[in-house]
Amino acid sequence: MSKKKVRIMETVLRDGHQSILATRMRIGQMLPVLEQLDEVGYDALECWGGATFDSCLRFLNEDPWERLRTLKAHVKNTPLQMLLRGQNLLGYKHYAGDVVDAFVKKAKENGIDRIRVFDALNDPENMKAAIEACNKYGVHVQGTMVYTISPVHTNEMFVDVAKTLKEMGIDSLCIKDMSGLLAPYDAYSLTQDLKKVLGDKTPIDLHSHFTCGLASATYLKAVEAGVDIIDTALSPFGHATSQPATESIVEMFKGTEYDTGLDLDKLRPLVEHFRNVRKEIEDEFGIKAAHEVLPEVRRYQIPGGMLSNTQNQLKEMGMADKFFDVMDEMPRVRADLGYPPLVTPTSQIVGTMAMMNVNFAANGMDRYTATPNEVKDLVRGKYGHLPAAISEEIQKKILGDEKIVPYSPADIPNEMDKYRAELSEKGFVDFSEEDVLSYALFPEVALNFFEQNATQVFQKSLGKK
């Protein structure tokens, strides 16, 4: 296999601060260095999607669409990339095909060049509409497999998903290791198997987190096996539960046949800037950047940030002493529910059920005495095809005698007209398609944002109720 330099996809503008500081970076903190980032020579800049859309509206009082337009105005040479949850888009439910189509269209028009499309269950049907829309509007579409470990998640299973995504028309493939579970030699064998079926014309991008402390070594072995692109974050927002630090990875490959070609002298002023930004965010929001390496995550298989969230939730419930009971229960729930990979929204669904089961046990009740609607919908198949079958015993505990009806996201009736009508009924006028999409994804949060930022272009009619 011919060797070539590895390309770097920089995550400091999205996953870096999402993983380290709860997605609290403002556009004003990005602006001073956007031209410098553009000059580095990155393969792409991840800057949108994931939790940034919600965070802009909910916490930062920013219009995410305006943020994207601003980024595009200052980044002229480097592709802008976003993360999209397939049929979920950036929300937490499946949306109709017309909403998916409209979102991809507007993302492209406002500045996105590449869309990384994934599904929590690796169900290609949940990625189909987004992939088709990307191809329709000329967006580079990166099909994604979320990596996890279970008795059913084999190289053969991942290769089958990759084959299906290639047939759907993806331009590149991402291995998304959201919890940092992928070990170095497993990455080597998986990459080799994928390269055999994808060939050299479909680049492979490896995305991992440093949560377990494995990611840098995993990147090394994956690149040796043929991975084309790796995701990193500048060091103030790297390591811990984020990606390996960009400077460290550049140093690791420097002078080798895989040399990234990036100039460390161009990175140093960027590092200094983002070090100050990190302190600003910590001071403004009173939160401390994650810094620990958590090897036990490979056992529990949950995203690193979820550990602290679970601890906080248990404290609020008066169950702080039950933390390790919940950690032990999570793999059992995951097995019961067909081994879903743990990433939004399945990580939250499994985590909630594990906490409930531990609480039931503490009160002398059976596991699954009660179940949230989201757990029922997961069992019903409304989130997609589960990797493994659920036993009749667990299914009966959760659904009783209910019959499971086959479900497809293609069955959802068109929704854009409904969302437009709802905004009109609430008294809003002159709204854009972008505003409709913001409302579709986060109705209450978007309405609050609109009302706080009313202008002559987008205003609430005072005479309407």
Side-chain angles (χ1 to χ4, degrees):
M1 182 183 294
S2 61
K3 304 297 183 183
K4 56 183 180 296
K5 74 175 185 178
V6 65
R7 287 130 61 187
I8 300 291
M9 203 281 285
E10 175 62 57
T11 72
V12 71
L13 302 181
R14 204 285 296 177
D15 204 4
H17 67 101
Q18 178 171 324
S19 296
I20 298 292
L21 279 174
T23 332
R24 295 298 194 272
M25 194 185 297
R26 299 180 181 279
I27 185 63
Q29 293 166 320
M30 304 174 189
L31 267 174
V33 293
L34 290 179
E35 281 83 1
Q36 289 172 267
L37 283 166
D38 195 20
E39 293 171 0
V40 169
Y42 290 120
D43 193 64
L45 285 170
E46 187 185 61
C47 62
W48 211 58
T52 60
F53 200 99
D54 185 4
S55 186
C56 278
L57 294 169
R58 190 184 303 268
F59 301 115
L60 304 179
N61 196 36
E62 288 185 22
D63 184 340
W65 299 99
E66 182 59 32
R67 171 182 287 203
L68 177 54
R69 290 189 289 270
T70 302
L71 289 164
K72 192 62 176 178
H74 291 270
V75 179
K76 305 290 189 182
N77 304 306
T78 311
L80 296 184
Q81 181 168 313
M82 72 168 292
L83 180 68
L84 192 75
R85 292 194 286 268
Q87 205 78 27
N88 289 169
L89 295 176
L90 302 175
Y92 302 99
K93 68 170 188 176
H94 281 175
Y95 293 89
D98 68 327
V99 181
V100 175
D101 184 272
F103 188 92
V104 171
K105 181 175 187 285
K106 288 300 175 182
K108 169 66 174 177
E109 289 177 0
N110 283 274
I112 286 296
D113 302 293
R114 297 185 184 180
I115 298 183
R116 176 176 290 173
V117 179
F118 82 96
D119 175 65
L121 298 180
N122 284 326
D123 187 344
E125 280 300 304
N126 288 337
M127 296 183 260
K128 183 179 180 181
I131 291 171
E132 289 177 347
C134 287
N135 287 324
K136 177 179 176 181
Y137 296 113
V139 181
H140 177 109
V141 55
Q142 188 172 86
T144 304
M145 306 178 314
V146 291
Y147 181 81
T148 190
I149 303 169
S150 83
V152 298
H153 285 91
T154 61
N155 278 15
E156 290 75 18
M157 173 184 273
F158 289 124
V159 167
D160 284 344
V161 173
K163 284 179 180 176
T164 302
L165 293 176
K166 185 176 182 179
E167 290 167 1
M168 286 182 170
I170 62 171
D171 298 298
S172 60
L173 179 81
C174 176
I175 305 167
K176 180 177 171 61
D177 178 24
M178 61 280 174
S179 299
L181 305 177
L182 184 56
Y185 287 95
D186 292 335
Y188 190 93
S189 66
L190 177 58
T191 300
Q192 285 193 318
D193 288 349
L194 289 169
K195 276 292 183 182
K196 287 175 185 174
V197 299
L198 295 178
D200 290 332
K201 291 186 178 180
T202 304
I204 298 177
D205 186 327
L206 176 56
H207 172 95
S208 189
H209 289 246
F210 204 77
T211 316
C212 293
L214 296 173
S216 295
T218 295
Y219 278 1
L220 177 61
K221 295 306 295 182
V223 168
E224 289 178 351
V227 152
D228 304 275
I229 309 162
I230 49 178
D231 295 2
T232 66
L234 287 166
S235 56
F237 288 91
H239 282 244
T241 53
S242 180
Q243 283 72 58
T246 304
E247 311 96 279
S248 301
I249 296 299
V250 171
E251 290 275 25
M252 184 168 76
F253 290 114
K254 191 174 182 180
T256 74
E257 58 194 321
Y258 310 108
D259 195 318
T260 65
L262 301 190
D263 185 350
L264 284 165
D265 287 337
K266 289 185 177 181
L267 298 181
R268 291 187 179 103
L270 292 168
V271 170
E272 183 64 27
H273 171 80
F274 284 111
R275 188 177 292 126
N276 293 330
V277 168
R278 173 170 159 167
K279 186 177 186 305
E280 289 173 5
I281 296 172
E282 289 177 332
D283 291 345
E284 178 181 359
F285 293 98
I287 52 180
K288 198 69 177 172
H291 64 277
E292 291 181 282
V293 172
L294 303 163
E296 65 267 31
V297 169
R298 201 164 192 268
R299 175 189 172 201
Y300 301 131
Q301 298 196 31
I302 64 174
M306 193 176 168
L307 284 173
S308 57
N309 289 339
T310 301
Q311 287 174 319
N312 291 333
Q313 285 178 278
L314 289 172
K315 284 178 184 176
E316 292 171 3
M317 296 166 65
M319 294 173 57
D321 61 326
K322 301 293 184 184
F323 175 74
F324 288 104
D325 293 334
V326 172
M327 289 297 100
D328 288 334
E329 176 66 7
M330 285 192 69
R332 288 193 287 268
V333 171
R334 181 171 175 252
D336 288 343
L337 299 182
Y339 292 107
L342 297 183
V343 64
T344 303
T346 51
S347 53
Q348 292 88 341
I349 294 171
V350 170
T352 298
M353 192 69 253
M355 284 189 277
M356 290 177 68
N357 279 349
V358 169
N359 192 37
F360 293 146
N363 289 281
M365 295 184 284
D366 291 337
R367 299 166 75 237
Y368 303 106
T369 293
T371 52
N373 285 332
E374 290 81 3
V375 173
K376 292 178 179 177
D377 282 345
L378 188 69
V379 176
R380 288 173 179 135
K382 288 196 172 182
Y383 287 92
H385 298 288
L386 290 162
I390 297 176
S391 71
E392 290 184 15
E393 177 190 1
I394 294 297
Q395 184 174 316
K396 189 169 182 62
K397 280 185 178 181
I398 293 172
L399 296 181
D401 295 325
E402 179 183 331
K403 301 295 183 184
I404 294 179
V405 178
Y407 171 84
S408 168
D411 296 334
I412 306 172
N414 284 347
E415 297 175 307
M416 284 296 286
D417 284 343
K418 178 189 77 169
Y419 293 126
R420 294 185 191 101
E422 287 178 6
L423 277 178
S424 295
E425 289 166 6
K426 293 178 185 300
F428 290 101
V429 297
D430 297 328
F431 47 79
S432 67
E433 285 292 275
E434 289 86 346
D435 296 322
V436 177
L437 290 163
S438 296
Y439 171 74
L441 293 175
F442 302 104
E444 295 303 319
V445 173
L447 288 176
N448 288 336
F449 175 83
F450 295 155
E451 290 172 355
Q452 291 173 26
N453 297 276
T455 65
Q456 291 182 344
V457 175
F458 186 97
Q459 60 183 319
K460 191 169 185 179
S461 300
L462 299 178
K464 294 185 179 182
K465 296 182 180 180

